[in-house]
Amino acid sequence: MWRIKQDDPERGVIAPLTAILMVVLLGMAAFAVDAATMYSEHAQLQNGADSAALSIAQACAAAPPTAGCAAPKADAAPLAKGNAVDGSSHVLTATVTGGTVDVTTQTENAAGDKHFSLVFARVLGIDTADIRASAQAKFGGYSAANVLPLSFSKCESDPGFTKDLQFFPSHGDALASQPGYKCLSSSSGLEVPGGFGWLDHVAGTCNVKVDIKNPWVGTNTGQDFDGDCGSVLSQWGNILADPTKTVNILIPIFDDLRGTGSNAEFHIQAFAQISLRGWNLSGGTKLPEDFMTAEATKLSKSLKLKNSDNGIFGRFIKKVTLAEAATLGGPTTYGAPGVQLTK
């Protein structure tokens, strides 16, 4: 009696293996293709949120505020849609609270549905995704906390206050001989006797207040940076490490001096509102004493500054008078409203 030969037990497994592998391959395709399109969609939503937040903040900072401040969601809508490749984007929220604007955008298709349709992920039972992006901007005058207690002679900055990126020296003689600068440098590198130094201020703070009726402020001697400003300078450096961020500050400018050494006092003429780009303050080679953006480094080389030339680098925005800087109840404001994307 002949026996029928039994088939190989491993035959027939290709089909189920292929089915299993197809699920895995489609899952990988879903991750690669759908994730890429979701990333692109989020980038468009983020651009729309950023633009809308800045636009609303600018509307609120205007004097008087323009319509965009009263109707933030309506102001945000065209900017959100304009930054979308397909022209479809939804403003979920747009609010103004005090000096802060918050905007959240949400994905939207041409039919008005508030979801993003996926392609390959449908195989895994995931048909849509809810994609959102948020942005925050602040507006208003600059607070006293950003008035660096380090004063500079009127002749140490651009005499007409017309230049853009500048170096404000607190020590050194590199600029003293340049045309347009009338400072007389002493052998120690000071532009005037006792003419550099951090201004007297409340201990534990890094800001100075100037009495508009009697704008004479005492000075601390010594070339090293004020230790009370260490944490503030470190914070500014960390912010400026991101080239998309800015730090706007006011720096006191003096036009007269009396006394010498520890008895020296400066007569504060005005403030210079600048966008901070870096600093080189004696006492160290890294934060908080030293920080340089690429453009500050380039300017330092073009001015041929030496190691003994200490000071700060900034883009000059405008000159702010003492009257504009007067305290009018509540926080100190400077009549120089600013708008900044913070998140």
Side-chain angles (χ1 to χ4, degrees), residues 218-219 221 257-266:
T219 180
T221 58
L257 170 78
R258 63 188 184 192
T260 58
S262 60
N263 295 319
E265 290 182 313
F266 296 108

Side-chain angles (χ1 to χ4, degrees), residues 189-207:
L190 309 183
E191 304 299 350
V192 292
F196 79 90
W198 295 78
L199 298 176
D200 288 339
H201 58 88
V202 177
T205 67
C206 186
N207 63 81

Side-chain angles (χ1 to χ4, degrees), residues 38 99 131 152 178 199 239 254 270-271:
M38 289 171 65
I131 306 175
F152 301 88
Q178 290 193 12
L199 298 176
I239 293 174
F254 71 87
F271 295 98

Side-chain angles (χ1 to χ4, degrees), residues 10 21 49 68 74 89 92 112 172 198 200-201 206 208 211 246 251 260 285 295 315 333-334:
E10 295 185 358
L21 289 174
S89 180
L92 187 63
W198 295 78
D200 288 339
H201 58 88
C206 186
V208 62
D211 184 350
T246 59
I251 56 174
T260 58
T285 58
E295 56 185 336
R315 290 188 173 277
T333 56
Y334 297 97

Side-chain angles (χ1 to χ4, degrees), residues 166-242:
Q166 296 186 52
F167 174 62
F168 296 83
S170 60
H171 181 273
D173 56 6
L175 299 183
S177 60
Q178 290 193 12
Y181 293 84
K182 300 178 181 179
C183 297
L184 298 176
S185 177
S186 67
S187 59
S188 64
L190 309 183
E191 304 299 350
V192 292
F196 79 90
W198 295 78
L199 298 176
D200 288 339
H201 58 88
V202 177
T205 67
C206 186
N207 63 81
V208 62
K209 293 184 178 180
V210 180
D211 184 350
I212 189 172
K213 296 180 180 179
N214 183 30
W216 287 94
V217 181
T219 180
N220 293 321
T221 58
Q223 187 179 344
D224 288 350
F225 86 105
D226 191 320
D228 284 339
C229 290
S231 60
V232 172
L233 291 170
S234 293
Q235 181 183 17
W236 291 349
N238 290 330
I239 293 174
L240 292 173
D242 182 346

Side-chain angles (χ1 to χ4, degrees), residues 241-300:
D242 182 346
T244 65
K245 300 292 181 64
T246 59
V247 173
N248 291 340
I249 68 171
L250 294 177
I251 56 174
I253 302 297
F254 71 87
D255 60 355
D256 199 4
L257 170 78
R258 63 188 184 192
T260 58
S262 60
N263 295 319
E265 290 182 313
F266 296 108
H267 184 270
I268 305 302
Q269 179 203 42
F271 295 98
Q273 180 186 337
I274 70 169
S275 178
L276 192 62
R277 306 311 301 153
W279 57 88
N280 173 27
L281 302 173
S282 181
T285 58
K286 58 182 180 180
L287 281 175
E289 299 95 330
D290 183 89
F291 176 84
M292 299 284 282
T293 61
E295 56 185 336
T297 300
K298 183 178 180 180
L299 177 61
S300 177

